[in-house]
Amino acid sequence: MTKVIISVLGKDRPGIVAAVSRVLFERDCNIENVSQTILQTEFAGIFIAGIPAGVTAETLHQGLTAGLADFKMYVQVKPLAENGSPAPPPVAEPFVITTSGPDAKGLVARITAVIARYQVNVTNLQAVFKGGSEPGDNIMIYEVDVPTHIDQQRFRQDLQDQAAALGLRLTIQHRDIFSAMNRI
């Protein structure tokens, strides 16, 4: 079974996920992964699906475009690249980096530059900038995989230095600790 990546973007309203999954079900496709979110008023969804023989990315795109016509969504379907066996990822531990403080241009770029310099992979990022007079309302949460072979103290210090230069408060916690501390 061939796999495809489906991206769906547009103004949010109820029924988008149902419409996408109905089109896939009707074509005997198997949804393997889904990640969707709403940013302000916009829906963004990424689906990885297995498609049976006889269904192509092009025909699936046509079906999704027709199935989502009432929603006026942007749809992209592309085959999932299979480049042989990918290199195994480095041994890593999951951490959560949280920053808060005043909003300014370049916050994400400058924090992720430090993260990238250590070859740390960002697996999820949420940024909520509410603006206003309370800088604590501006929060960025980076979920990252930190390779065990890097100098973690130096990584932490470089992140703290960058955050201080940006006027941000920064914490970094192992994901297990972050989850335990933020459990409702």
Side-chain angles (χ1 to χ4, degrees):
M1 186 174 272
T2 302
K3 294 182 181 181
V4 294
I5 301 173
I6 303 160
S7 303
V8 179
L9 302 170
K11 187 162 183 64
D12 184 46
R13 63 186 247 205
I16 297 168
V17 174
V20 171
S21 58
R22 179 184 48 78
V23 169
L24 294 173
F25 175 70
E26 289 173 349
R27 285 155 180 81
D28 199 28
C29 299
N30 183 38
I31 298 173
E32 297 183 7
N33 298 96
V34 177
S35 180
Q36 70 95 172
T37 191
I38 299 166
L39 299 174
Q40 297 186 12
T41 62
E42 298 299 308
F43 173 94
I46 299 173
F47 303 74
I48 294 179
I51 61 174
V55 175
T56 65
E58 292 78 21
T59 61
L60 188 55
H61 181 264
Q62 292 169 354
L64 286 164
T65 300
L68 290 164
D70 290 344
F71 296 93
K72 298 180 180 165
M73 305 298 286
Y74 170 79
V75 178
Q76 181 180 22
V77 180
K78 70 175 200 169
L80 184 64
E82 293 184 27
N83 299 328
S85 299
V91 176
E93 290 283 330
F95 282 81
V96 177
I97 300 167
T98 304
T99 66
S100 61
D103 190 15
K105 291 180 182 176
L107 298 179
V108 175
R110 292 176 68 182
I111 294 294
T112 56
V114 175
I115 293 170
R117 193 166 53 242
Y118 284 87
Q119 297 296 305
V120 171
N121 191 32
V122 177
T123 58
N124 193 18
L125 168 61
Q126 295 180 28
V128 179
F129 297 99
K130 293 183 178 176
S133 60
E134 180 52 56
D137 287 346
N138 300 317
I139 298 172
M140 294 184 288
I141 302 172
Y142 304 83
E143 294 182 43
V144 298
D145 286 338
V146 178
T148 56
H149 69 273
I150 70 165
D151 183 340
Q152 292 193 20
Q153 285 188 332
R154 188 169 173 194
F155 175 58
R156 287 173 182 265
Q157 189 59 55
D158 284 354
L159 281 171
Q160 291 291 351
D161 292 347
Q162 185 62 264
L166 296 167
L168 300 174
R169 292 178 300 280
L170 182 141
T171 61
I172 180 168
Q173 298 171 306
H174 193 278
R175 187 174 60 204
D176 294 345
I177 295 170
F178 179 85
S179 296
M181 292 180 67
N182 293 287
R183 189 170 295 142
I184 296 175

